[in-house]
Amino acid sequence: MKKKLVSLLTVSAMTMAMLAGCGNSATEAPAAETATETPAAETATEAPAAETAETAAEAVTETAGNADLADKKVGVCIYQFADNFMTLFRTELENYLVSQGFSKDNITIVDGANDQATQTNQIQNFITQGVDVLIINPVNSSSAATITDLVVGADIPLVYINREPDADEEARWSANNWNVTYVGCDARQSGTMQGEIIVDLGQEKVDLNGDGKIQYIMIEGDPENVDAQYRTEFSVKALEDAGWTVECLDDEVGNWDQATAQQLVANALSANPETEVVFCNNDAMALGALQSIEAAGRKVGEDIYLVGVDALTEALEDVLAGTMTGTVFNDHIAQSHGAADAAINYITGAGNEYYIGCDYVKVTTDNAQSVLDSLK
Ligand code: BGC
Ligand code: CA
């Protein structure tokens, strides 16, 4: 009898957790798990074969002068122009390409409007135009194999950015010696850093109701994306690795978007006033969360903690003001330069490694000002 009761309770607890979406994400997503175990997804520091964005930059200094880049055509596909982070990325990418000798008229950047069919058409158009290289931020990472086949079939080198294709796809590039690479950071590192920012505060401080558990809510980016999967998983894992007990009160998909996150966090906070930490997979959503935290009369650093990822200027200002606990710098400068350098290396014939990584940087009040200064 007793046993039955326990299992019934377990089932209903599980059902509730599933309704709330807690524990229903990255940890169980097969794609994320495969990637964890495969070398392709390893960080730049761990993978000896992987070039860092900076070494790629050095290599390029030697070759850029030889190439007549002014005549070369670059096609750039961005998954969605409305994305704050990708806006910083593409602006820097274009400026840097011009600084390296490309003509502005020969750089075409298109908006996939978060629709894979639209983006696939744009890729086909670039192929028809005969661009010399393509830089692609896929709408769906799961469409990478199709995209690669199209582009490689047209004999055009391809640099993927920001949304990492899965390990099986990356393995095809090296197996076939294709001119295809990925430039980006390892999202696991950003998640871990988010968790560490909370752990560094000390459990006493974060466990506001003193029940020995950290009550949190998670606001996820597009769950199709490894950045969202890994940040969700590894932020919480960092707390657990520190020996903390966690309790997920709510886990919602905000699709990287500020207004969506604002609404989700407003609902989550009114349903779960005992929330101690709000994890957001990016800063845009953390800014939305902050609006709702403030509207609920709560104060970050006093009765709730909030972390994001990206180090958007507004988020850095919030960290300095104490209205955000911390963020993680997603280095769009290193990544955009790395992507442009990789494109140049293909054009000059120098070639590239199949994975070009970079590091995230943990940002708290201690270094937010210097990160802000470095972005000016
Ligand atoms: C960034 C998000 C962005 C997403 C787009 C992530 O790496 O942190 O802000 O929305 O990429 O794919
Ligand atoms: Ca608690």
Side-chain angles (χ1 to χ4, degrees):
M1 180 63 201
K2 202 169 171 204
K3 195 159 174 219
K4 192 159 179 207
L5 186 65
V6 170
S7 61
L8 273 176
L9 280 173
T10 318
V11 167
S12 69
M14 276 168 63
T15 316
M16 280 176 66
M18 277 171 71
L19 280 177
C22 291
N24 198 12
S25 58
T27 343
E28 284 144 35
E33 270 171 38
T34 327
T36 320
E37 284 147 32
T38 51
E42 261 171 47
T43 62
T45 22
E46 283 160 22
E51 250 181 297
T52 64
E54 273 152 58
T55 31
E58 278 163 29
V60 121
T61 331
E62 292 157 28
T63 49
N66 306 327
D68 198 0
L69 299 174
D71 291 341
K72 303 295 180 198
K73 294 199 194 73
V74 190
V76 182
C77 294
I78 301 295
Y79 94 94
Q80 172 158 252
F81 277 10
D83 183 293
N84 315 40
F85 175 75
M86 289 315 300
T87 300
L88 292 175
F89 195 123
R90 75 184 143 95
T91 308
E92 184 63 28
L93 177 62
E94 180 170 29
N95 291 339
Y96 183 76
L97 283 166
V98 171
S99 79
Q100 294 304 294
F102 289 93
S103 149
K104 205 173 163 140
D105 298 339
N106 288 335
I107 305 166
T108 312
I109 308 183
V110 293
D111 181 3
N114 206 19
D115 180 62
Q116 189 57 58
T118 301
Q119 185 176 69
T120 306
N121 272 331
Q122 293 168 334
I123 295 169
Q124 257 143 356
N125 288 339
F126 277 134
I127 291 174
T128 311
Q129 288 163 29
V131 294
D132 295 286
V133 64
L134 272 166
I135 299 176
I136 298 182
N137 168 213
V139 173
N140 296 329
S141 315
S142 58
S143 297
T146 315
I147 296 172
T148 304
D149 287 342
L150 259 177
V151 177
V152 168
D155 207 17
I156 296 172
L158 169 57
V159 180
Y160 280 108
I161 52 168
N162 173 257
R163 298 187 153 186
E164 188 174 359
D166 66 20
D168 287 347
E169 170 57 12
E170 292 186 353
R172 287 198 315 143
W173 312 338
S174 51
N176 294 290
N177 287 316
W178 286 338
N179 281 340
V180 182
T181 188
Y182 171 73
V183 178
C185 308
D186 184 336
R188 288 173 289 189
Q189 186 186 39
S190 53
T192 302
M193 286 177 171
Q194 285 189 292
E196 285 172 355
I197 289 170
I198 298 300
V199 169
D200 288 347
L201 297 170
Q203 194 170 355
E204 291 268 279
K205 218 172 147 188
V206 184
D207 182 12
L208 292 156
N209 64 4
D211 69 347
K213 286 187 256 176
I214 304 303
Q215 279 78 19
Y216 73 91
I217 60 182
M218 178 69 66
I219 306 295
E220 299 191 31
D222 176 358
E224 210 260 357
N225 189 298
V226 282
D227 285 9
Q229 294 166 12
Y230 280 151
R231 288 175 193 165
T232 299
E233 180 181 355
F234 283 77
S235 53
V236 173
K237 186 174 179 293
L239 270 60
E240 290 168 336
D241 287 350
W244 294 19
T245 304
V246 295
E247 182 183 1
C248 175
L249 300 176
D250 202 355
D251 183 336
E252 301 287 346
V253 171
N255 278 322
W256 305 118
D257 179 63
Q258 176 165 351
T260 311
Q262 180 184 358
Q263 195 54 57
L264 292 172
V265 173
N267 297 344
L269 283 182
S270 71
N272 308 285
E274 69 276 38
T275 302
E276 292 164 336
V277 178
V278 180
F279 286 108
C280 294
N281 284 174
N282 75 349
D283 279 348
M285 298 191 295
L287 293 171
L290 177 58
Q291 291 172 286
S292 295
I293 287 170
E294 289 178 338
R298 307 277 296 262
K299 226 165 168 246
V300 172
E302 286 180 19
D303 58 18
I304 197 158
Y305 298 92
L306 171 66
V307 283
V309 175
D310 281 340
L312 299 181
T313 303
E314 222 182 318
L316 289 169
E317 281 160 359
D318 279 315
V319 173
L320 285 170
T323 41
M324 249 176 83
T325 312
T327 184
V328 176
F329 179 36
N330 188 2
D331 194 341
H332 61 277
I333 298 177
Q335 290 172 78
S336 57
H337 293 194
D341 292 342
I344 295 169
N345 285 339
Y346 283 135
I347 291 173
T348 61
N352 291 290
E353 299 291 340
Y354 298 97
Y355 181 93
I356 300 171
C358 82
D359 278 316
Y360 284 100
V361 181
K362 207 189 285 187
V363 185
T364 61
T365 36
D366 296 345
N367 62 342
Q369 189 62 55
S370 67
V371 176
L372 198 55
D373 293 343
S374 78
L375 293 175
K376 276 178 186 151

